[in-house]
Amino acid sequence: MAVTDYEAVPGISPDESASRTGTLVMKFGGTSVGSTERIQAVAKRIVGAKEQGGRVVAVLSAMGDTTDELVDLAHQISERPKPRAMDMLISVGERISCALAEMAIEDLGHEAISLTGSQAGIVTDTTHTKAKIVEVRAQRIHAALDEGKIVLVAGFQGVSTGLEITTLGRGGSDTTAVALAAALGADSCEIFTDVEGVYTADPRIVPGAQKLPVVTYEEMLEMSASGAKVMALRSVEFARNHGVRLHVRSTFSGEPGTWIREEDEQLLEKAIISGVTHDTSEAKLTIFGVPDRPGVAARVFRALADSGVNIDMIVQNVSEQGLTDISFTVPKADLVVAEPILEAACKDVEAAGFTQDSEIAKVSLIGAGMRSHPGVAADMFEALAEAGINIEIISTSSIRISCVVRASEVEHAVQAVHDRFQVEAEERAHA
Ligand code: ADP
Ligand code: ASP
Ligand code: MG
């Protein structure tokens, strides 16, 4: 995980003019701006914040499922659309939301200016469809704020150092918001979404999931990396590296949500487990009949890495008669790239062949308290066993345990693991 991507990038630290306080960055996700009525409601909320006297920057996502629809359109035209063209296409959705919000805000009697990522000074590297922000040139935003305007920035996009339009990867409007909050030295970065905060599991799958008042950057990083799409992974990395405290809350209520911030003494008393996450976006690849000798894994994984394929979990079996199997998971979206490379790599290392399996899901348990409480892994495996669910691959970090299971069993698995730890948390609370 490239958590240091943004460290030591001078353009992102607050510039001199950002020492003016009272700047608020508000980000609204796709459902929150999913219709014209919702955009009007969001406009009211933004104007309400402005009327409190602050400098307000709002980052908007594309309306509803617009980005998915644009991606579908591309695939109707072409099996392998060029990433540059893809970015030209999918960056459009956010621009629509911002333009409409500008109109709605003007109708409420306030001045607003909508900006594309490029106009807002979001400069990225040249990796189309998953670009990284390398600098924020916020002069134009400052100038507009100085004129008393509300600034609306199209999320999820930027302009590359090669002057091309880029996008930041799915969920990337979160990253735009956090980068702007860091660059503007904002007092607060509020992520408005369609749930009331970060929960102990996806509330759409586990109705009994609890809202967490606070999670640490570290826990949120693990949750996002293992599938909790409520915050995009890059945005949390960014927030941690730049000390931006985030407040994830609902667009549709005034209730306080979840704060994401650094760990401190107060937080040490928290529950052992902060959440159960799941991810169905990966596929499992197995190379079989691999000669068990030094350098083989290195050759296979180097070839995949050089083509930008992200590997997640890896297991290698004990070898029998000098041959072994290696299984690993990759994003389903990377399969088209991975397959030809694996075919060549199998020949190269004289493996017998490979298989792919898209019907898998990953269930993960996350909590900083795991470090000091032995037996958490055993509890998780027991919960899955009692639910009759087979575990295919296991991987761990110091604060996470992940298990690959059949995709058809994912909801059952999340519920079973969540129930187990909820009961324990309740027992501790009453002890
Ligand atoms: P937005 O469009 O506002 O960015 P997303 O759809 O990207 O919203 O993220 C919010 C969704 O994340 C929720 O609707 C919820 O289903 C899902 N989600 C997954 N895991 C969690 C979790 N642990 N807590 C809250 N929401 C979660
Ligand atoms: N619209 C983009 C997406 O759907 C970015 C975002 O919503 O954060 O991924
Ligand atoms: Mg999102």
Side-chain angles (χ1 to χ4, degrees):
M1 196 191 303
V3 288
T4 53
D5 287 348
Y6 310 107
E7 276 166 0
V9 178
I12 291 175
S13 45
D15 56 49
E16 334 72 73
S17 50
S19 53
R20 288 170 289 215
T21 51
T23 304
L24 171 63
V25 174
M26 306 167 88
K27 180 256 165 177
F28 294 89
T31 315
S32 310
V33 294
S35 65
T36 47
E37 291 77 18
R38 285 191 174 168
I39 289 181
Q40 284 166 322
V42 161
K44 279 197 192 127
R45 194 145 192 170
I46 296 171
V47 163
K50 169 78 176 134
E51 285 175 347
Q52 311 249 314
R55 293 155 70 83
V56 178
V57 176
V59 174
L60 305 188
S61 287
M63 294 173 72
D65 296 330
T66 303
T67 311
D68 287 334
E69 287 160 15
L70 292 170
V71 171
D72 276 358
L73 273 181
H75 288 120
Q76 284 174 37
I77 295 275
S78 164
E79 211 173 290
R80 287 186 196 203
K82 282 253 170 65
R84 181 187 180 278
M86 206 62 190
D87 277 348
M88 287 298 283
L89 177 70
I90 61 178
S91 56
V92 167
E94 273 64 16
R95 197 162 156 173
I96 296 173
S97 309
C98 282
L100 293 173
E102 176 180 333
M103 296 170 196
I105 291 172
E106 294 273 341
D107 281 355
L108 293 170
H110 280 261
E111 271 192 278
I113 179 167
S114 53
L115 301 173
T116 63
S118 161
Q119 289 172 321
I122 309 278
V123 181
T124 73
D125 67 13
T126 54
T127 320
H128 282 293
T129 75
K130 36 189 169 187
K132 289 180 181 148
I133 299 176
V134 295
E135 193 179 350
V136 179
R137 297 183 186 151
Q139 300 86 332
R140 185 154 181 198
I141 297 182
H142 280 304
L145 291 172
D146 287 344
E147 289 167 16
K149 290 183 179 149
I150 291 167
V151 177
L152 298 160
V153 178
F156 174 56
Q157 57 182 272
V159 61
S160 75
T161 46
L163 300 181
E164 299 287 4
I165 299 296
T166 48
T167 61
L168 309 178
R170 298 306 302 269
S173 297
D174 295 334
T175 315
T176 306
V178 177
L180 285 176
L184 298 169
D187 301 328
S188 176
C189 183
E190 302 205 297
I191 306 290
F192 289 91
T193 183
D194 55 7
V195 284
E196 298 244 335
V198 180
Y199 282 69
T200 49
D202 185 341
R204 296 186 200 286
I205 290 198
V206 180
Q210 308 280 312
K211 181 167 75 182
L212 297 159
V214 183
V215 285
T216 63
Y217 292 127
E218 206 189 4
E219 288 168 320
M220 196 66 228
L221 277 174
E222 291 282 10
M223 289 179 81
S224 294
S226 60
K229 72 167 186 161
V230 61
M231 286 299 297
L233 176 60
R234 287 260 181 88
S235 74
V236 187
E237 291 174 350
F238 211 121
R240 184 185 66 173
N241 292 347
H242 295 274
V244 178
R245 290 187 172 196
L246 305 173
H247 186 195
V248 182
R249 52 190 302 200
S250 168
T251 305
F252 309 109
S253 84
E255 291 298 309
T258 301
W259 283 92
I260 305 175
R261 61 171 175 85
E262 66 284 358
E263 185 160 340
D264 64 15
E265 302 270 307
Q266 245 181 315
L267 281 178
L268 290 176
E269 296 298 308
K270 277 180 358 108
I272 301 173
I273 299 305
S274 53
V276 183
T277 58
H278 66 282
D279 186 355
T280 51
S281 69
E282 293 188 353
K284 182 170 81 170
L285 291 163
T286 302
I287 315 178
F288 53 92
V290 186
D292 195 12
R293 53 171 191 254
V296 167
R299 255 148 72 196
V300 172
F301 289 106
R302 169 59 61 207
L304 290 164
D306 286 346
S307 304
V309 175
N310 279 314
I311 311 290
D312 182 17
M313 302 163 99
I314 306 178
V315 278
Q316 176 170 337
N317 283 339
V318 179
S319 69
E320 268 181 50
Q321 291 154 2
L323 295 178
T324 182
D325 296 344
I326 304 176
S327 289
F328 54 97
T329 62
V330 299
K332 283 178 188 160
D334 285 355
L335 277 177
V336 271
V337 180
E339 275 165 359
I341 293 168
L342 267 187
E343 234 165 84
C346 281
K347 286 205 185 96
D348 181 30
V349 302
E350 294 168 336
F354 73 95
T355 54
Q356 72 167 65
D357 179 355
S358 294
E359 294 304 309
I360 58 149
K362 184 173 68 175
V363 177
S364 307
L365 184 64
I366 288 115
M370 252 180 226
R371 286 198 196 100
S372 47
H373 287 80
V376 174
D379 284 344
M380 179 178 185
F381 303 155
E382 257 168 39
L384 291 171
E386 279 161 21
I389 294 166
N390 187 44
I391 302 171
E392 301 181 21
I393 307 183
I394 299 168
S395 78
T396 60
S397 80
S398 63
I399 66 164
R400 175 185 48 78
I401 305 159
S402 300
C403 298
V404 167
V405 301
R406 285 289 96 202
S408 56
E409 296 190 303
V410 64
E411 297 196 5
H412 187 192
V414 171
Q415 186 75 58
V417 175
H418 188 268
D419 283 356
R420 174 69 171 244
F421 286 93
Q422 185 149 336
V423 169
E424 286 191 0
E426 278 161 16
E427 279 169 0
R428 248 195 335 278
H430 295 122

